[in-house]
Amino acid sequence: MAALSIQTRAGRLRAADLRQALGPALTRLPWLMRIFFENALRTGSMEADSLRETFFAWLKHGRSDVELPFHPARLLMHDTTCVPALVDIAAMRDAVAEAGGDPSMLKPVLPVDVSVDHSVAVDWYGRPGAREFNMQREMERNEERYRLMKWATNALPGVRVHPPGTGIMHTMNLEQLATVVTVQDVNGERWAIPDTLIGTDSHTPMINGIGVLAWGVGGLEAESVFFGMPVMLRLPDVIGVHLTGTFRPGVMSTDLALAVTHLLRVHQVSGEFVEFFGDGVSALSCGDRAVIANMAPEYGASSGYFPIDRQTIRYLRETGRSEQQCEIVESVARAQGLWFNPDVQPRYTRVLQLDLSTLSPIVAGPRRPQDRLPLHKARQALADASGRTLEQPEGDIPDGAVAIAAITSCTNTSDPKLLIAAGLIARKARQFGLKPPHWVKTSLAPGSPAAERLLKRAGLLDDLEAVGFNIVGFGCTTCIGNSGPLHPDMDLAVSSGAVTAAILSGNRNFPGRVHAKLEYGFLASPPLVIAFSLVGRVVEDIARQEFGHAPDGRPILLKDLWPSEEEIAAVLGASACSTDFADAFADAERSDAWKELAAPESVLFPWDEHSTYIRRPPFASQQMRSRLGKYSASPLVVLGDDMTTDHISPAGQIDPSSYAGHHLIESGDPANNLNVYAARRGNWQAMVRGLFDNRTAHNLLLDQTSASTTIHWPSGETGPIWEIAQKYQSEGRSVVIVAGERYGAGSSRDWAAKGVALLGVRAVLARSFERIHRSNLINMGVLPIRLPDDAHPQSLAIGPDTIFMIDAAKLSPRCTLTVTMEDPSGPRNLDCSAAIETDLELQVLRAGGMIPLIIARSLTSRAVEPGFSMHPLAP
């Protein structure tokens, strides 16, 4: 491999010479494809000539069926994906030890950073001390899970856990962890390599906003990378989004992110990588870009990549990176051809156009992130979704009331401009004496502790607190369903049938996600969240709504509260300090509560048979067998479109009256402190009982009955899906799940696949799958099968007596697969396809899942190749 020699103030660096390897073709490749090429060239994943020919062929056709091993430089996890992964790893170590192997072999071969951000809930809000109280409750509720995480830092070298309060993983990655270019010593030489990673969260692409190639994967795939296996993917299709123009006054990066989400979903993006190019890119700050990149899963993409340019270097300086690091990034990116040129249009699989000057402030909802709405159509959309005319009922809380108003999530709190804009609206509202109605639950949960320093220095934190937006924690909170209890009056109104909604600056608004009792939600920029909270309801047009009256009697409108671009820039310029980021992070890392938490130091994890949080899972075993083969199966549950991972495996509060709630109470847990499903992901017995516990998930086998209930055929018995699945298993009968479009959209949570596997499901037949969930199913040994275009669960008229005859004995990636559906009316053949992308995925299915494959390889000394993923040079 030819290498560059790059002189920097840090000394001379070596780097892969991409120009020499590809010649003029380099500038025709999308920038993210150049990083894929660099990774494969440097690590020797493919013979050099074959590698070049593969990329030349991609340039000719815009796509490829060639499989490419990718070796990320690091791995990022958070607590609710880390804990189930650690439970798997602890169980795998037991399985290896029981088989006579060395359990210590199972250890990471690349750096692993873990954030603790998904467990803090909004118990207190709108009052002083809310953050401290919520963090204290977090530690009390999750002490057992956190002990497991601390065990990992002792037992698994290379795992680094960042304690509660250090921020949300994606913001932490932006501000602290990402290097953009990493320097490593190899054989006495210093090599510069692009910073790359995968993360166990679907919003991992947020880091694409500063030129770092990354995407989200399920926890099971992350476990394989943890132990040295590469990420195998088909050389991706790349959609280029050509950005032109600049924002009009009043438009925020949130509005662009929601517009992009709508645009790409209209064009049916599903798993492709997305890259932004054109003059409009240069007009966006890295804060803007990170918001757009964050929502890649919402627009169906694996990435939302922005190449490295001057804005990247500016962001690195603003967040306190050294001048030496900034110089290395720019020098290496320019030398390798990774530096962005707005005048170049590379070859893309497809190109879409978006003019920034056409955008206006919008919201999205009330059920999906891609359903963008002009401000004056939000109330009608809520009425249409609920099937009701929104009128004032008896009592104080009107139809259309805002139940929750939350500035939450890394998506829109990592861009300081958005926080400053929200603070300025709060300041003007305070000056006018405006406050939200009592029923609105308000909260501010920034992605970084540095945000508090910025808002304090700007004098805006007092203004935000004055209108109820006290900081409730530095974590995901409302965005992932940890919104805590509603105001009692609102809770009563919701229970009485009032139509209400959440307004949040998050990234998802699926029914029941934000709060189990709330079916509707709107995504909006932080300043719009405050505006809606002040009115307290979803109004006809927030832009024309009267918020109150000024002292001179004139009505107060949104334009009187909305800050100008000049105001935002002036406050930000006077308040930003580059040292805040490292200092605030270091302060949070010095958590006394975390230091005082005792944890085991043994190689094997000491299981507690009485625990209701951490249980050894049955699937982490050598005894798992392949689910492939030729068989007949009954439908266990039949679902419609948009069954997200929130529907399949909820994350929010566990209801004491639910099936999972009864199990936990019978196991000794208090009914008033069952915590959230996300915190129970280390306990398979609780999680299987929570499957499909979402009031908007319906089982079409039982005429819209909750999907958590199903029917056994031929007995006709109905009951909880876990009990019916066990009945089928005891009879030795196979079952499948049938679903519609976009099955498994949303979060990366692998429990949506783990739970399905524990139900004994051999295959899921769906019109389409979201990328990460498809991968998770395969990694649990469950075959995903795509139904043909003319076959939908509702049109197929599937009944409990329907039998699916499937021959999955001989498969290949993306092969056709004839499924015969037989019922009393006779047989029908469905021309399906196996949703398998690579030979490695087929190997995983044949092994019964990723975990049995890892165990088997460890016992034959092939699980781990030390340094494999990190070594920057091909052997």
Side-chain angles (χ1 to χ4, degrees):
M1 178 187 70
L4 294 166
S5 179
I6 305 168
Q7 184 62 47
T8 71
R9 71 180 69 182
R12 189 168 297 279
L13 302 176
R14 305 271 280 168
D17 191 341
L18 308 187
R19 298 182 198 277
Q20 192 277 337
L22 286 175
L26 179 67
T27 59
R28 295 182 56 225
L29 278 176
W31 281 274
L32 68 84
M33 290 291 279
R34 303 176 199 186
I35 298 175
F36 274 119
F37 181 82
E38 187 279 342
N39 190 276
L41 180 69
R42 171 173 45 80
T43 59
S45 299
M46 188 182 295
E47 193 273 327
D49 288 339
S50 296
L51 181 65
R52 279 190 287 270
E53 289 305 314
T54 296
F55 276 78
F56 289 152
W58 189 95
L59 282 171
K60 182 178 180 180
H61 302 289
R63 69 179 313 279
S64 173
D65 289 328
V66 174
E67 294 178 32
L68 186 75
F70 181 79
H71 305 286
R74 53 193 178 93
L75 175 61
L76 187 61
M77 310 180 85
H78 60 69
D79 49 307
T80 59
T81 53
C82 173
V83 166
L86 292 177
V87 168
D88 292 349
I89 292 167
M92 282 190 271
R93 280 191 161 194
D94 283 354
V96 169
E98 289 161 1
D102 179 1
S104 66
M105 282 188 64
L106 287 172
K107 59 186 176 183
V109 299
L110 76 176
V112 181
D113 281 284
V114 180
S115 65
V116 185
D117 57 14
H118 272 56
S119 297
V120 62
V122 187
D123 292 298
W124 275 18
Y125 68 97
R127 62 169 111 173
R131 179 184 64 191
E132 291 77 12
F133 179 84
N134 294 335
M135 288 185 68
Q136 180 182 341
R137 292 287 287 140
E138 175 190 2
M139 289 297 295
E140 292 169 357
R141 287 172 176 148
N142 298 286
E143 183 175 329
E144 190 175 348
R145 296 169 60 239
Y146 292 172
R147 287 187 197 280
L148 171 70
M149 295 169 71
K150 283 200 77 173
W151 166 79
T153 64
N154 297 324
L156 302 169
V159 173
R160 181 171 57 169
V161 177
H162 305 283
T166 50
I168 300 175
M169 63 186 295
H170 308 304
T171 311
M172 185 189 303
N173 200 16
L174 282 166
E175 296 177 355
Q176 305 293 331
L177 305 179
T179 59
V180 185
V181 171
T182 297
V183 176
Q184 295 180 357
D185 290 323
V186 181
N187 299 327
E189 292 186 310
R190 302 179 70 226
W191 279 79
I193 66 171
D195 183 14
T196 58
L197 70 141
I198 59 166
T200 56
D201 187 274
S202 56
H203 296 103
T204 299
M206 189 171 199
I207 201 66
N208 292 175
I210 63 170
V212 175
L213 182 59
W215 61 93
V217 299
L220 293 159
E221 187 170 1
E223 289 171 30
S224 70
V225 174
F226 196 96
F227 295 125
M229 296 172 68
V231 178
M232 294 298 299
L233 73 163
R234 180 174 60 82
L235 200 60
D237 294 1
V238 183
I239 296 175
V241 179
H242 185 212
L243 299 180
T244 58
T246 57
F247 287 157
R248 293 186 294 177
V251 174
M252 302 279 170
S253 50
T254 311
D255 304 310
L256 173 55
L258 297 178
V260 167
T261 300
H262 174 78
L263 173 69
L264 271 63
R265 281 297 187 182
V266 165
H267 287 274
Q268 298 182 327
V269 171
S270 180
E272 296 95 332
F273 281 67
V274 169
E275 180 171 277
F276 297 90
F277 71 102
D279 289 341
V281 169
S282 301
L284 300 174
S285 70
C286 282
D288 296 327
R289 298 173 186 182
V291 175
I292 299 145
N294 176 282
M295 291 193 70
E298 280 66 55
Y299 45 80
S302 296
S303 75
Y305 187 74
F306 289 86
I308 303 166
D309 67 356
R310 292 189 183 280
Q311 293 282 15
T312 311
I313 306 304
R314 178 181 179 183
Y315 180 82
L316 294 175
R317 289 193 175 104
E318 288 173 345
T319 50
R321 268 65 163 217
S322 68
E323 281 300 317
Q324 177 175 296
Q325 181 63 25
C326 293
E327 186 206 13
I328 288 172
V329 171
E330 181 165 354
S331 299
V332 172
R334 287 185 181 277
Q336 287 194 301
L338 303 180
W339 189 262
F340 179 60
N341 182 347
D343 299 324
V344 169
Q345 177 169 332
R347 200 295 192 216
Y348 293 106
T349 309
R350 283 191 285 163
V351 173
L352 304 176
Q353 304 287 337
L354 184 58
D355 183 351
L356 304 181
S357 67
T358 64
L359 302 179
S360 57
I362 55 176
V363 295
R367 282 186 168 131
R368 301 189 306 178
Q370 62 262 43
D371 296 331
R372 70 170 185 179
L373 295 163
L375 298 181
H376 67 275
K377 291 190 175 181
R379 186 174 178 85
Q380 186 58 51
L382 183 58
D384 292 345
S386 64
R388 298 241 310 256
T389 301
L390 301 186
E391 298 175 350
Q392 174 77 41
E394 293 182 9
D396 294 333
I397 298 179
D399 264 345
V402 173
I404 291 174
I407 298 176
T408 177
S409 160
C410 52
T411 308
N412 289 295
T413 67
S414 300
D415 182 358
K417 288 185 297 186
L418 293 172
L419 290 178
I420 294 294
L424 288 171
I425 280 203
R427 173 172 291 173
K428 295 180 183 184
R430 183 185 186 188
Q431 290 168 351
F432 283 121
L434 302 175
K435 286 189 175 183
H438 74 280
W439 63 74
V440 182
K441 182 169 187 176
T442 52
S443 61
L444 168 60
S448 165
E452 181 180 29
R453 298 188 178 208
L454 171 69
L455 291 170
K456 275 186 176 179
R457 194 177 294 110
L460 295 174
L461 192 57
D462 287 345
D463 297 312
L464 286 161
E465 291 173 348
V467 295
F469 286 84
N470 301 64
I471 292 178
V472 295
F474 300 114
C476 304
T477 61
T478 301
C479 186
I480 58 159
N482 288 354
S483 50
L486 300 173
H487 187 281
D489 292 347
M490 176 57 71
D491 193 277
L492 180 60
V494 171
S495 300
S496 301
V499 178
T500 63
I503 306 287
L504 67 154
S505 67
N507 44 53
R508 290 184 181 137
N509 52 353
F510 304 133
R513 177 180 172 88
V514 171
H515 191 284
K517 293 186 177 181
L518 298 181
E519 189 169 343
Y520 309 112
F522 291 93
L523 305 182
S525 66
L528 273 178
V529 170
I530 295 206
F532 275 102
S533 78
L534 295 171
V535 181
R537 62 191 189 280
V538 181
V539 293
E540 293 288 349
D541 187 352
I542 192 76
R544 301 184 181 214
Q545 175 68 28
E546 293 186 8
F547 288 77
H549 290 84
D552 60 5
R554 64 183 174 84
I556 303 168
L557 302 177
L558 184 61
K559 66 180 182 180
D560 301 311
L561 303 175
W562 201 267
S564 68
E565 294 296 315
E566 292 75 19
E567 287 179 277
I568 296 171
V571 172
L572 183 58
S575 308
C577 178
S578 63
T579 60
D580 281 351
F581 300 92
D583 291 348
F585 185 71
D587 284 351
E589 284 272 1
R590 290 189 284 269
S591 166
D592 290 336
W594 189 259
K595 288 178 182 176
E596 293 166 4
L597 186 65
E601 296 187 1
S602 53
V603 171
L604 299 178
F605 181 73
W607 305 97
D608 177 358
E609 63 180 16
H610 301 296
S611 173
T612 58
Y613 278 93
I614 308 295
R615 307 284 292 186
R616 182 175 173 179
F619 48 74
S621 164
Q622 269 193 291
Q623 308 308 314
M624 298 297 290
R625 295 292 179 261
S626 173
R627 296 166 197 248
L628 301 179
K630 187 175 183 178
Y631 55 90
S632 298
S634 296
L636 182 63
V637 63
V638 178
L639 307 161
D641 294 337
D642 295 302
M643 282 294 104
T644 70
T645 52
D646 281 285
H647 291 96
I648 304 165
S649 181
Q653 188 65 44
I654 300 174
D655 189 327
S657 66
S658 68
Y659 186 42
H662 283 304
H663 169 76
L664 291 170
I665 293 167
E666 290 169 3
S667 299
D669 283 1
N672 64 350
N673 192 23
L674 296 182
N675 213 327
V676 293
Y677 280 111
R680 300 286 184 171
R681 289 181 188 158
N683 178 359
W684 69 272
Q685 294 172 331
M687 294 304 293
V688 293
R689 289 170 171 81
L691 290 169
F692 298 101
D693 184 13
N694 184 303
R695 66 179 189 169
T696 62
H698 303 298
N699 185 356
L700 302 184
L701 287 176
L702 291 173
D703 192 25
Q704 302 295 311
T705 298
S706 167
S708 62
T709 298
T710 196
I711 183 170
H712 173 265
W713 188 260
S715 72
E717 176 187 344
T718 61
I721 194 169
W722 170 241
E723 293 181 7
I724 299 299
Q726 286 185 303
K727 188 174 180 70
Y728 275 120
Q729 289 185 59
S730 69
E731 297 168 347
R733 296 175 60 191
S734 299
V735 293
V736 296
I737 288 175
V738 187
E741 299 276 6
R742 295 171 293 277
Y743 180 74
S747 297
S748 66
R749 66 192 64 161
D750 51 10
W751 255 105
K754 286 178 174 176
V756 164
L758 286 172
L759 293 177
V761 172
R762 295 184 73 166
V764 176
L765 294 80
R767 281 284 296 108
S768 63
F769 295 89
E770 289 292 285
R771 176 184 62 86
I772 295 177
H773 185 64
R774 183 200 64 82
S775 173
N776 281 340
L777 286 171
I778 288 172
N779 285 321
M780 283 306 298
V782 179
L783 175 64
I785 300 175
R786 288 193 183 93
L787 291 168
D789 291 343
D790 61 350
H792 189 278
Q794 290 175 313
S795 66
L796 291 173
I798 301 165
D801 57 347
T802 301
I803 297 295
F804 291 89
M805 289 174 281
I806 299 171
D807 187 353
K810 296 180 180 180
L811 298 175
S812 60
R814 299 177 295 285
C815 69
T816 57
L817 184 68
T818 299
V819 174
T820 302
M821 188 180 110
E822 191 168 276
D823 56 29
S825 64
R828 175 181 174 182
N829 288 335
L830 303 176
D831 295 326
C832 303
S833 60
I836 303 169
E837 288 294 316
T838 68
D839 287 330
L840 177 60
E841 289 183 344
L842 187 55
Q843 183 183 353
V844 169
L845 285 167
R846 288 170 175 160
M850 182 61 77
I851 291 175
L853 183 63
I854 292 173
I855 293 171
R857 289 192 171 191
S858 71
L859 290 170
T860 55
S861 302
R862 292 190 293 119
V864 180
E865 299 174 29
F868 179 62
S869 294
M870 285 298 294
H871 202 299
L873 292 177

